[in-house]
Amino acid sequence: MNQDFNISERGIIASQTELRADFKLFFEASNDLWEKDKNPGGKFPLNMAENNLTWPLLKNEMESKLKSLSIPDWVSNYTAPKGAPVFIDSLAEFMSRHLCQSKVSPEFLLTSAGSTAIIELLAWVLCDKGNVAVIPSPAYPVYTQDINNKAGLIRYDLQTHHDLTDLEGKDVLVIEDLERAKLAIENKGNSFKLLILTSPDNPSGRLYSIGELDNISNWCIKNKIHLVVNELYGLSLIDTSHEVIREDYKVEKQFNSFAKLIALKQSDYLHQVYALSKDLGASGFRVGVFYSMNKKALE
């Protein structure tokens, strides 16, 4: 390792590791944005998930609240390690009513600076360096850095299909897929300790049914593998009943929050991740949420 750098070897590796393969394309598109009159031949960057469509509504609502409410005194204090209690209570109420459609207790919530920080924290707390995290492929590319830069986990992309049409009438992920991945990992002398699912999925948009989540969670509990379900896009759903597109969706699928199974099974191996970045279009707020019955992890 080159010692001329004035940072750690970990820092050097992180700085020289490409964050994602499509970054150059993103910046190219951002510098040549489509405009109907000024730049009709411009580009649409589709690889950055910023939900700016909701911001005008949210901005007006926030500005209205700031005019009518005073800033609470707890803002100047460190409050609790898991987040300010009044904020945790509000998040629990929001998630219970809108995302989870079931009771979420503030006791089992923790907040951090965005979903990236939550995933990184979980990799650090739930696994040891060199353990393997399995992620159904294709999937969000930056999970690799989230789980590796600090925690030192190895990413294993589990290829379950090559085209969305391959999944028509089938589950996204079946137990045979997990068994196959587990065997391949163990044959290399490694340990499968973490399974990360994204529902709705990024980039495919596929939804996991409650039956799928039940089967997968039972398998993970049996094998002592931590299951993390990232529901970052849980309220960013397509209205498949809309007259313009309903013919394209022969089978209507509903989003099922993993929170229901977490509350039902009460296992230390089941966890949910959420954030305000996508559904509320507030990426800059950096609010990530962790929901789990694992009290040691929450500590």
Side-chain angles (χ1 to χ4, degrees):
M1 185 66 67
N2 190 336
Q3 298 300 320
D4 293 338
F5 293 96
N6 59 356
I7 58 175
S8 69
E9 290 188 1
R10 292 188 304 272
I12 294 170
I13 292 171
S15 68
Q16 294 178 347
T17 301
E18 186 177 50
L19 188 62
R20 52 190 300 169
D22 56 2
F23 246 25
K24 289 182 180 179
L25 289 174
F26 168 73
F27 287 117
E28 178 186 326
S30 298
N31 292 323
D32 185 27
L33 293 175
W34 176 89
E35 288 187 58
K36 183 178 180 180
D37 297 320
K38 295 182 179 180
N39 191 18
K43 301 177 178 65
F44 293 91
L46 299 177
N47 54 350
M48 181 64 73
E50 290 179 335
N51 184 6
N52 293 317
L53 294 176
T54 62
W55 179 239
L57 294 172
L58 185 62
K59 182 174 184 289
N60 290 337
E61 185 68 20
M62 290 174 63
E63 288 177 341
S64 175
K65 294 293 184 185
L66 287 172
K67 291 176 182 177
S68 60
L69 299 173
S70 61
I71 296 176
D73 290 336
W74 62 258
V75 170
S76 67
N77 303 322
Y78 283 115
T79 68
K82 295 193 296 182
V86 65
F87 182 53
I88 295 286
D89 289 345
S90 296
L91 277 172
E93 182 180 352
F94 172 82
M95 291 174 66
S96 298
R97 183 187 305 177
H98 299 288
L99 177 73
C100 304
Q101 298 296 308
S102 62
K103 176 66 175 177
V104 173
S105 173
E107 176 186 0
F108 301 110
L109 285 184
L110 175 150
T111 59
S112 189
S115 59
T116 294
I118 293 288
I119 295 292
E120 185 178 73
L121 177 66
L122 294 183
W124 178 273
V125 170
L126 301 177
C127 306
D128 291 314
K129 183 178 180 179
N131 287 165
V132 176
V134 172
I135 306 172
S137 179
Y140 176 57
V142 192
Y143 274 143
T144 303
Q145 282 72 34
D146 295 346
I147 64 173
N148 179 263
N149 280 352
K150 290 184 179 179
L153 268 61
I154 300 168
R155 173 172 175 164
Y156 180 98
D157 285 283
L158 176 56
Q159 190 76 41
T160 60
H161 63 281
H162 296 279
D163 191 279
L164 286 180
T165 57
D166 297 340
L167 296 175
E168 290 181 359
K170 301 178 182 177
D171 289 342
V172 181
L173 181 66
V174 296
I175 301 304
E176 289 76 13
D177 294 326
L178 296 172
E179 292 284 2
R180 173 166 51 87
K182 185 172 182 291
L183 180 62
I185 290 165
E186 291 176 347
N187 282 342
K188 289 188 175 181
N190 295 331
S191 184
F192 179 177
K193 285 294 183 181
L194 181 65
L195 173 63
I196 301 176
L197 307 182
T198 308
S199 183
D201 184 55
N202 174 9
S204 71
R206 289 279 305 193
L207 300 172
Y208 287 87
S209 70
I210 199 68
E212 285 177 275
L213 292 173
D214 187 41
N215 290 336
I216 294 168
S217 61
N218 287 338
W219 184 87
C220 286
I221 294 170
K222 176 183 176 182
N223 289 278
K224 296 183 179 181
I225 292 170
H226 289 282
L227 170 58
V228 173
V229 180
N230 186 349
E231 298 184 351
L232 197 64
Y233 302 91
L235 299 176
S236 302
L237 305 175
I238 299 173
D239 180 8
T240 56
S241 65
H242 194 282
E243 60 181 9
V244 175
I245 61 172
R246 62 188 175 198
E247 290 300 317
D248 296 326
Y249 293 87
K250 304 299 182 183
V251 179
E252 185 175 348
K253 284 199 171 186
Q254 293 183 331
F255 169 73
N256 296 278
S257 176
F258 190 52
K260 300 174 184 177
L261 291 177
I262 290 177
L264 177 66
K265 297 179 184 295
Q266 298 191 16
S267 169
D268 285 347
Y269 290 96
L270 306 182
H271 319 281
Q272 176 194 20
V273 172
Y274 187 62
L276 305 185
S277 54
K278 310 307 179 188
D279 291 338
L280 272 68
S283 301
F285 268 24
R286 310 305 301 153
V287 177
V289 188
F290 171 51
Y291 175 50
S292 174
M293 298 288 180
N294 190 320
K295 293 184 178 179
K296 282 294 181 183
L298 290 166
E299 290 175 355

